[in-house]
Amino acid sequence: MNENKNALNEMDQARLKLNIEHYIKYFIGKRTCEITKEEAFTVIALAVREFAMDKMYETIARYNKVGSKRIYYLSIEYLIGRSLENNLYNLGLYDTLRDIKIEGFPDISLQDIFDAEYDPALGNGGLGRLAADYLDSMASLGIPGFGYGINYQFGLFKQKFENGYQVEQADSWLEENSPWQFARYDRTVSIPIGGHVEMYTKPNGKTGYIWADTHRLYGVPYDFPIVGFDGKSVNYLRLFSAKTDEQLDLNVFNNGGYMEAVRDKIQTETISKVLYPSDNVISGKELRLTQQYFFVSCAIQDIIRRFMEKSNDFSKLPDYVCIQLNDTHPALAIAEMMRQLLDVYNQEWDESWDIVTKVFAYTNHTLLPEALEKWSSKIIGRILPRHLQIIYEINRRFMEFARSKFGDDTYKLGKVAIVDGEGDSQVIRMANLSIVGSFSVNGVAKLHSELVKKTLVPEFYELWPEKFTNVTNGITPRRWLVHANHLLCDLICDKIGKDWIVNLDKLRDLEPLATDKTFAKNFMDIKKQNKKRLVRNVYKATHIMIDPKSMYIVHAKRIHEYKRQLMTILQVVGDYLAIINDRKHPLTPKTYIFAGKAAPSYTFAKLIIKLINNVAKVINEDDRANEYLKVVFIPDYKVSVAEYLIPAADISCQVSTAGFEASGTSNMKFALNGALTVGTYDGANIEIREAVGADNFYLFGLTENEIRQKRLSYNPREIYEKSEYIKRILNAVNSTMFADSNYPQQFSPIVDSLLNSDYYFILADLEAFNDAIHKAEKDYTNAELWAKKAILNVARIGNFSSDRSIMEYAKKIWHIKPVD
């Protein structure tokens, strides 16, 4: 057996070496000694991709052989992260590459080559990273699962800071074609848009519809291999780029209309340029809607094409296909599937709707009303007139059913209607369409799923209680421990073996080692090394030097008021004022680390970023305080940044207003790497606290129920008047202490918002948050106690694996089994 394995390793090494040399010579076109680290990454990635594609073909053949049902995951974003190092490990080629000697190859370290890979700009935050983790788990478990999305050229944006303000720059990750992607021009799909709908009479006397005078777009698919752990299964993520067949109108060009000649091409390809274009203007809204339609039409057509390779009996479609909607962005897929079945394949309405409602499942990710998408009927009618007709008919039939249950209860009927309002103000509620058109609706944490049923859509729960379920989110240990924290991974493997990598519950075997002094020392030494790595990266990104011996308190996530980065920086201000006014020094030096992006049009969130950066500048330059307190904001937060930030954290701030965070996954990543959580009773925090133990979690703040009860009578100004601690902080923020010299009232909008509204209960929770931070600070000074708490967090976090989440989806919702 060992001889065969050695022979295979030698064959892989010879092939990999030959591939690399081939791509240097014939793809890069240089002598080996001349290539840069970026070119070295490209040729190695192309060479490794060949191994991945071989495994992908084997995987698809295995699925086809057993005729397996497939899950198609539709998500507007995927935050994939770098792939080379991850794929090398999963394919068993890491050591193989390390041992290869290529004559003339420059003296470039493997780490420098890994760092030369640019993060794919295909996502923004938790929604996109969750989708990427789920694809990893599907492949690792042998689940026939495939992702669909948009191949954004620029993604969201590259974040920079100028004078403390967030500045958005184009994130042109596809400037150089990704070596991981390969185009499938043979699978290009044609997409109609615009035009109008004409009625005609079918031979059977029924009314048919023709979508006429449309403009044609084309979706070109690019496949991105998703390599599962051990490389046995390789699925793929299919991303579509928008193209047009009208490259250049020569008549217009030759008559001097140079820009007009390529206008159609430019407008069409804009669809796949940027993730989440601003919807503050009508053109932005239209672009967002067009993006969502483009994406789901490409996906639905591709899914139907693949099904029809097996059968043209659409009644069998639910036996082979399940489509998971990752939030409401893909909700138009329901109307598009109906259009395809009715207009393209001539199915009847009742049969088509029966198929649709057996195929689609919907995951809700938010309780925020503004995040539940609504589209103007006027805009839909202009861009997608046939879809608007179909949605109207879905709504008409559904409302007949709803009346049979609710009678003339206009309140309940109004809450469940897909179509809301009349005239120019009429909107289509995409969450309602998703619920009506799906056979399953799930939340992503126990509390969140209960709130979906009880407060978000209780009328739908009354209609269909059997539709609603919970699948708590999870994270992939391959990315967030094996890949991101090699040293800790090696220590764990040395003690309990490698089974935990695919069965995270096995980390429980670490529990007895929480009081083992040798293991605890090794564990904390690794934390120190990870902190030193972070010091280097922070300095490179910000030119700020932080102390690796200080306590690292990290708040890293998308900037939003409900995530309460504002509360964290107010607590920092409180610490700073205690140092300079009261000469009260912390028990241990502390470094507060922020990371995250604000949406370009989210003015208040961007002002919070400015406040954080101004506070950081004042504290870091104040010799009275900077020995004890530092603040840094790492720009352009993305997966590759998270991979060196998370393993270094001591404290993870998970401080969302209770009842607002659906789940969160950064809380899981930090705990998996030995950080302790300071958090509210919200989202997955609740389940994490139950798992790791109340003694190993710093809980604070009002509960969702308490906030609901206080909402009508809440008076934040009264809290301000009664609390000297809070008053001193807000007065400082409202003064010139942190403001730019030419803008003394710079942060008054923040203070005014807190005193007059404080919708997210920051002042109500601020003192409790301060107490929790100081309790953690005290415990941190007891090295033995802290190590025990950190180890127990790692040992007890096993339930939060995305493998567990995916198996729950597979069993409870998709009814799909792994294919060995």
Side-chain angles (χ1 to χ4, degrees):
M1 183 68 75
N2 286 336
E3 290 179 2
N4 290 338
K5 187 174 182 180
N6 290 336
L8 284 172
N9 287 340
E10 289 175 6
M11 289 172 61
D12 285 346
Q13 187 176 90
R15 179 186 173 191
L16 188 58
K17 179 176 183 291
L18 187 65
N19 286 353
I20 293 171
E21 291 172 335
H22 172 86
Y23 284 116
I24 291 173
K25 186 174 182 180
Y26 297 108
F27 186 83
I28 301 298
K30 286 184 177 181
R31 293 184 301 163
T32 301
C33 62
E34 295 175 333
I35 65 170
T36 65
K37 63 182 179 181
E38 290 78 16
E39 291 165 340
F41 156 70
T42 298
V43 297
I44 294 171
L46 287 169
V48 172
R49 192 184 79 176
E50 290 193 13
F51 287 83
M53 290 178 69
D54 284 344
K55 291 290 188 180
M56 186 177 76
Y57 298 139
E58 291 174 11
T59 301
I60 302 303
R62 196 166 72 246
Y63 295 162
N64 289 338
K65 184 177 180 180
V66 299
S68 61
K69 185 178 183 180
R70 298 186 181 194
I71 173 64
Y72 299 103
Y73 199 83
L74 272 57
S75 180
I76 199 72
E77 59 171 293
Y78 293 89
L79 206 58
I80 295 173
R82 295 169 175 169
S83 294
L84 178 56
E85 188 175 4
N86 195 61
N87 287 347
L88 284 167
Y89 273 112
N90 285 351
L91 290 165
L93 294 174
Y94 186 90
D95 291 338
T96 303
L97 175 65
R98 188 184 56 195
D99 294 340
I100 286 176
K101 305 297 180 187
I102 296 177
E103 185 176 349
F105 199 89
D107 186 20
I108 306 171
S109 72
L110 262 184
Q111 190 57 53
D112 284 342
I113 292 171
F114 295 150
D115 290 342
E117 182 172 5
Y118 202 94
D119 285 52
L122 297 168
N124 173 30
L127 188 77
R129 186 55 230 177
L130 179 76
D133 279 9
Y134 279 2
L135 293 184
D136 173 273
S137 283
M138 289 181 215
S140 295
L141 294 166
I143 297 284
F146 303 87
Y148 280 100
I150 295 177
N151 196 34
Y152 301 105
Q153 181 178 349
F154 296 110
L156 188 67
F157 60 84
K158 183 184 293 182
Q159 182 193 53
K160 290 195 173 182
F161 298 134
E162 292 183 4
N163 190 31
Y165 288 102
Q166 173 180 288
V167 175
E168 300 90 26
Q169 297 183 340
D171 194 0
S172 52
W173 80 283
L174 278 179
E175 199 167 64
E176 302 288 339
N177 290 332
S178 168
W180 299 112
Q181 291 187 333
F182 52 97
R184 294 297 308 269
Y185 294 106
D186 58 317
R187 301 303 190 201
T188 298
V189 294
S190 174
I191 303 156
I193 194 168
H196 64 275
V197 180
E198 297 176 356
M199 296 192 308
Y200 71 97
T201 303
K202 295 181 179 180
N204 61 5
K206 294 186 177 181
T207 301
Y209 299 87
I210 297 174
W211 191 2
D213 296 331
T214 59
H215 174 67
R216 287 278 160 178
L217 313 175
Y218 294 90
V220 178
Y222 289 78
D223 287 354
F224 200 110
I226 305 296
V227 182
F229 182 71
D230 79 10
K232 182 179 179 182
S233 295
V234 178
N235 297 334
Y236 58 81
L237 167 62
R238 180 159 285 182
L239 303 167
F240 288 88
S241 291
K243 305 291 182 183
T244 178
D245 60 353
E246 298 175 17
Q247 298 295 317
L248 178 69
D249 189 326
L250 278 176
N251 290 328
V252 175
F253 186 87
N254 290 332
N255 287 322
Y258 305 122
M259 292 303 297
E260 290 81 358
V262 293
R263 178 178 294 158
D264 183 69
K265 173 180 169 63
I266 293 169
Q267 288 179 340
T268 296
E269 294 183 0
T270 298
I271 292 168
S272 54
K273 291 287 186 188
V274 178
L275 170 67
Y276 299 138
S278 174
D279 58 359
N280 281 350
V281 293
I282 292 296
S283 59
K285 293 180 189 293
E286 291 179 346
L287 179 55
R288 275 208 189 193
L289 179 67
T290 303
Q291 276 188 338
Q292 292 182 8
Y293 164 62
F294 167 79
F295 148 48
V296 301
S297 183
C298 288
I300 295 301
Q301 290 188 60
D302 199 55
I303 291 166
I304 290 176
R305 174 198 58 76
R306 186 177 289 110
F307 167 74
M308 293 190 72
E309 291 174 354
K310 293 183 173 65
S311 172
N312 59 5
D313 181 356
F314 281 100
S315 68
K316 295 181 180 178
L317 188 69
D319 297 332
Y320 291 95
V321 170
C322 184
I323 301 173
Q324 188 72 42
L325 305 177
N326 192 30
D327 220 344
T328 56
H329 309 108
L332 278 171
I334 291 168
E336 174 65 4
M337 178 69 88
M338 285 296 290
R339 184 185 75 84
Q340 291 286 331
L341 294 174
L342 293 169
D343 299 353
V344 179
Y345 297 102
N346 298 311
Q347 303 296 299
E348 297 298 328
W349 181 281
D350 289 341
E351 289 76 12
S352 298
W353 186 244
D354 183 63
I355 292 166
V356 165
T357 54
K358 289 179 179 176
V359 163
F360 284 96
Y362 162 55
T363 300
N364 173 277
H365 283 281
T366 184
L367 298 168
L368 295 175
E370 66 269 22
L372 294 174
E373 289 187 303
K374 297 176 183 178
W375 286 109
S376 163
S377 297
K378 190 175 180 180
I379 293 177
I380 295 178
R382 186 163 56 248
I383 298 172
L384 306 171
R386 179 59 178 137
H387 293 75
L388 185 61
Q389 281 187 334
I390 290 170
I391 290 169
Y392 280 158
E393 182 61 14
I394 292 171
N395 184 67
R396 184 188 70 79
R397 291 172 180 242
F398 165 67
M399 292 307 289
E400 287 183 1
F401 166 75
R403 287 188 191 94
S404 73
K405 301 292 185 180
F406 294 148
D408 294 327
D409 189 328
T410 55
Y411 176 79
K412 289 183 178 179
L413 292 173
K415 294 289 283 186
V416 299
I418 298 170
V419 181
D420 183 33
E422 295 180 356
D424 289 347
S425 63
Q426 187 183 83
V427 295
I428 306 300
R429 296 162 162 168
M430 306 311 282
N432 289 21
L433 176 61
S434 300
I435 294 169
V436 172
S438 297
F439 68 87
S440 173
V441 178
N442 74 279
V444 291
K446 288 178 181 177
L447 174 63
H448 171 242
S449 294
E450 287 303 307
L451 292 175
V452 167
K453 293 187 294 186
K454 293 178 180 178
T455 65
L456 186 67
V457 290
E459 296 79 16
F460 277 114
Y461 181 62
E462 185 178 345
L463 286 177
W464 292 305
E466 70 281 0
K467 275 193 183 187
F468 290 80
T469 190
N470 174 65
V471 180
T472 297
N473 283 345
I475 58 171
T476 170
R478 272 81 58 183
R479 170 70 64 170
W480 297 111
L481 188 46
V482 177
H483 177 80
N485 200 341
H486 298 313
L487 297 174
L488 183 55
C489 172
D490 291 344
L491 177 66
I492 294 171
C493 289
D494 182 58
K495 291 297 180 182
I496 64 171
K498 296 183 178 181
D499 289 350
W500 63 270
I501 297 174
V502 288
N503 182 0
L504 204 59
D505 286 331
K506 291 282 187 180
L507 288 179
R508 277 278 179 183
D509 293 345
L510 292 174
E511 266 198 57
L513 298 172
T515 53
D516 183 302
K517 291 185 178 180
T518 301
F519 182 82
K521 180 181 184 304
N522 291 336
F523 183 93
M524 295 311 295
D525 283 347
I526 288 168
K527 179 68 73 173
K528 290 174 185 175
Q529 292 182 63
N530 287 330
K531 291 171 87 166
K532 289 177 181 177
R533 177 178 63 164
L534 178 61
V535 168
R536 295 191 296 271
N537 282 293
V538 165
Y539 186 77
K540 183 178 179 181
T542 68
H543 299 295
I544 296 172
M545 183 60 68
I546 59 176
D547 181 4
K549 296 178 181 179
S550 65
M551 182 184 192
Y552 286 3
I553 303 170
V554 180
H555 197 150
K557 51 184 73 226
R558 177 170 55 92
I559 309 298
H560 196 290
E561 288 167 87
Y562 87 83
K563 293 178 182 290
R564 300 203 292 189
Q565 287 91 350
L566 177 55
M567 184 168 69
T568 303
I569 197 61
L570 294 179
Q571 197 277 330
V572 173
V573 171
D575 275 1
Y576 174 62
L577 295 175
I579 293 170
I580 64 170
N581 292 339
D582 307 334
R583 309 216 183 274
K584 185 178 179 182
H585 300 150
L587 298 175
T588 185
K590 294 186 288 189
T591 300
Y592 286 82
I593 303 171
F594 293 85
K597 298 178 181 180
S601 59
Y602 195 169
T603 304
F604 197 83
K606 293 171 80 170
L607 185 60
I608 292 171
I609 289 176
K610 171 63 172 171
L611 174 63
I612 294 170
N613 281 323
N614 277 27
V615 170
K617 187 174 188 297
V618 169
I619 292 175
N620 296 342
E621 293 178 356
D622 190 337
D623 290 338
R624 297 172 296 172
N626 58 23
E627 180 183 348
Y628 311 101
L629 191 62
K630 279 272 182 88
V631 183
V632 64
F633 200 131
I634 302 174
D636 205 30
Y637 191 50
K638 51 191 173 183
V639 175
S640 58
V641 175
E643 287 169 357
Y644 65 71
L645 173 60
I646 290 171
D650 295 306
I651 285 291
S652 159
C653 291
Q654 304 295 332
V655 299
S656 56
T657 310
F660 280 82
E661 186 70 83
S663 169
T665 52
S666 67
N667 43 13
M668 305 167 190
K669 295 162 194 167
F670 281 102
L672 179 64
N673 282 273
L676 275 72
T677 304
V678 172
T680 51
Y681 202 73
D682 195 31
N685 284 358
I686 300 168
E687 293 163 69
I688 291 173
R689 181 172 178 266
E690 290 173 356
V692 303
D695 290 342
N696 306 307
F697 186 110
Y698 298 94
L699 179 69
F700 77 94
L702 298 171
T703 66
E704 179 274 332
N705 187 51
E706 288 170 336
I707 285 175
R708 190 156 26 87
Q709 291 176 356
K710 289 177 180 289
R711 176 68 68 187
L712 292 177
S713 60
Y714 180 51
N715 184 352
R717 192 174 291 275
E718 184 179 331
I719 293 176
Y720 166 84
E721 294 294 347
K722 289 182 177 180
S723 170
E724 289 302 318
Y725 169 75
I726 290 174
K727 183 180 291 185
R728 181 162 77 165
I729 292 171
L730 292 193
N731 288 349
V733 171
N734 209 29
S735 72
T736 59
M737 181 178 288
F738 304 111
D740 292 343
S741 58
N742 61 340
Y743 196 174
Q745 299 300 310
Q746 192 163 24
F747 301 114
S748 61
I750 289 176
V751 175
D752 290 345
S753 173
L754 289 172
L755 293 178
N756 297 326
S757 170
D758 194 19
Y759 185 78
Y760 296 101
F761 284 73
I762 288 173
L763 299 189
D765 280 349
L766 183 55
E767 289 203 55
F769 178 49
N770 182 56
D771 290 344
I773 288 287
H774 288 157
K775 174 67 167 67
E777 179 186 327
K778 180 182 177 183
D779 289 348
Y780 184 78
T781 62
N782 184 333
E784 186 176 330
L785 174 66
W786 190 262
K788 178 183 176 183
K789 288 175 176 287
I791 293 167
L792 288 175
N793 265 263
V794 177
R796 295 172 177 174
I797 202 68
N799 189 57
F800 299 94
S801 168
S802 53
D803 295 348
R804 185 269 312 151
S805 301
I806 286 300
M807 286 308 299
E808 283 191 27
Y809 275 106
K811 291 175 182 178
K812 295 199 306 188
I813 298 174
W814 304 336
H815 305 296
I816 293 176
K817 294 181 179 179
V819 178
D820 295 327

